[in-house]
């Protein structure tokens, strides 16, 4: 069975990605979540409702031991299956001015996005290399490309993921494993619901916030065979 793992897949962009790649590519989707089991179960229900296959898979991406334990146990229970798609979507924001930023606000944001990318991807890398095929898509942010005041921690985390994407893409392309990053702008999700939409949409060429489905459609293309020449 060919599988796709979506971290932070219980809500928002992660949920839309999970539903879309299950529908478009017939992957069995592992819906990772940290604590909100009800939301993860709802994502699984929506996938199955559309005729797809999925299961929840709880672990905290920032905890290497938890990641390794969960994935090893899953592989033991599913010895004939291969996780050939990894969507590193898990992330949080804890915004604030850098001069006043507590260490916890720095560590938690960097650990979930950047260390989470390492923990999950590195745990699965040997199997992917032996499989000689794979798709890794990292969900980053425009904050990581241009910076954003009040988000030094988030910009650092996502900027690090972008640099890692470029480097890893070069390392493993010969094994037919692509690594790409998608940097959404303002997307209508729980994370952006409290933002001043009327002011911020003026910064967007389309003069509106994007939809999670629009991000999911791009990710769906990047995990397809059609994107085999796009990496890094």
């Amino acid at each position: 069975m060919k599988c796709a793992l979506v971290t932070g897949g219980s809500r928002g962009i992660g949920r839309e990605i999970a539903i879309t790649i299950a529908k478009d590519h017939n992957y069995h989707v592992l819906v990772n979540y940290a604590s909100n089991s009800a939301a993860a179960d709802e994502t699984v229900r929506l996938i199955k409702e559309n005729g797809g296959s999925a299961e929840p898979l709880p672990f905290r991406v920032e905890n290497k031991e938890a990641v390794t334990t969960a994935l090893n146990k899953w592989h033991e229970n599913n010895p004939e299956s291969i996780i050939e798609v990894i969507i590193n979507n898990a992330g949080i924001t804890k915004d604030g001015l850098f001069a006043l930023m507590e260490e916890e606000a720095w560590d938690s944001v960097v650990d979930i996005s950047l260390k989470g990318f390492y923990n999950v991807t590195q745990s699965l890398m040997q199997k992917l290399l032996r499989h000689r095929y794979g798709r890794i898509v990292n969900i980053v942010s425009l904050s990581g490309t241009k910076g954003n005041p009040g988000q030094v921690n988030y910009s650092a985390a996502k900027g690090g993921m972008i640099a890692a994407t470029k480097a890893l893409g070069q390392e493993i392309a010969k094994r037919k494993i692509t690594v790409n990053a998608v940097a959404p702008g303002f997307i209508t999700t729980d994370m952006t619901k409290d933002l001043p939409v009327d002011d911020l949409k003026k910064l967007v060429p389309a003069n509106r916030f994007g939809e999670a489905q629009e991000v999911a459609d791009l990710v769906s293309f990047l995990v397809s065979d059609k994107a085999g020449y796009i990496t890094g």
Side-chain angles (χ1 to χ4, degrees):
M1 182 168 60
K2 292 182 178 181
C3 305
L5 169 63
V6 182
T7 69
S10 63
R11 295 182 299 142
I13 290 174
R15 171 179 285 180
E16 291 302 326
I17 290 171
I19 293 169
T20 300
I21 61 178
K23 180 178 63 177
D24 290 354
H25 306 293
N26 204 31
Y27 278 115
H28 175 75
V29 179
L30 309 178
V31 179
N32 162 256
Y33 67 96
S35 57
N36 194 338
S37 60
D41 288 342
E42 176 66 6
T43 302
V44 169
R45 186 191 69 78
L46 290 168
I47 290 170
K48 291 180 176 179
E49 196 175 74
N50 285 330
S53 171
E55 65 182 286
L57 186 61
F59 58 79
R60 301 197 72 89
V61 297
E62 68 270 34
N63 184 320
K64 176 68 168 173
E65 184 179 353
V67 172
T68 303
T69 299
L71 291 175
N72 284 347
K73 182 178 179 182
W74 184 87
H75 280 110
E76 288 171 11
N77 293 332
N78 299 274
E80 302 302 315
S81 298
I82 177 72
I83 298 172
E84 67 176 31
V85 171
I86 306 168
I87 311 297
N88 290 301
N89 169 73
I92 62 167
T93 56
K94 289 193 176 181
D95 297 350
L97 294 176
F98 183 73
L100 303 174
M101 186 172 289
E102 298 284 346
E103 185 177 7
E104 188 278 331
W106 177 274
D107 286 348
S108 59
V109 169
V110 172
D111 284 353
I112 289 175
S113 285
L114 187 55
K115 183 78 185 306
F117 154 79
Y118 166 80
N119 289 342
V120 173
T121 309
Q122 205 271 342
S123 294
L124 296 169
M125 185 52 61
Q126 291 293 337
K127 286 183 170 61
L128 268 184
L129 291 170
R130 288 195 295 271
H131 185 53
R132 299 186 72 88
Y133 179 86
R135 296 286 187 264
I136 300 167
V137 180
N138 300 318
I139 306 303
V140 293
S141 169
L142 290 182
S143 294
T145 65
K146 64 181 183 62
N148 203 30
Q151 287 194 321
V152 176
N153 51 356
Y154 191 66
S155 296
K158 297 303 188 180
M161 288 179 74
I162 291 167
T165 297
K166 294 176 179 180
L168 183 59
Q170 294 177 54
E171 279 190 17
I172 59 178
K174 290 180 179 177
R175 294 294 182 102
K176 296 184 179 179
I177 304 168
T178 65
V179 191
N180 291 290
V182 174
F186 295 114
I187 306 297
T188 303
T189 66
D190 288 345
M191 282 181 74
T192 61
K193 68 180 187 298
D194 296 325
L195 295 178
V197 176
D198 289 338
D199 293 332
L200 292 173
K201 72 180 184 182
K202 296 173 185 174
L203 305 174
V204 182
N207 198 38
R208 65 174 176 85
F209 277 24
E211 298 297 329
Q213 183 63 59
E214 293 173 300
V215 180
D217 287 337
L218 175 54
V219 173
S220 179
F221 169 72
L222 289 172
V223 305
S224 75
D225 290 337
K226 295 178 181 180
Y229 195 61
I230 302 171
T231 197

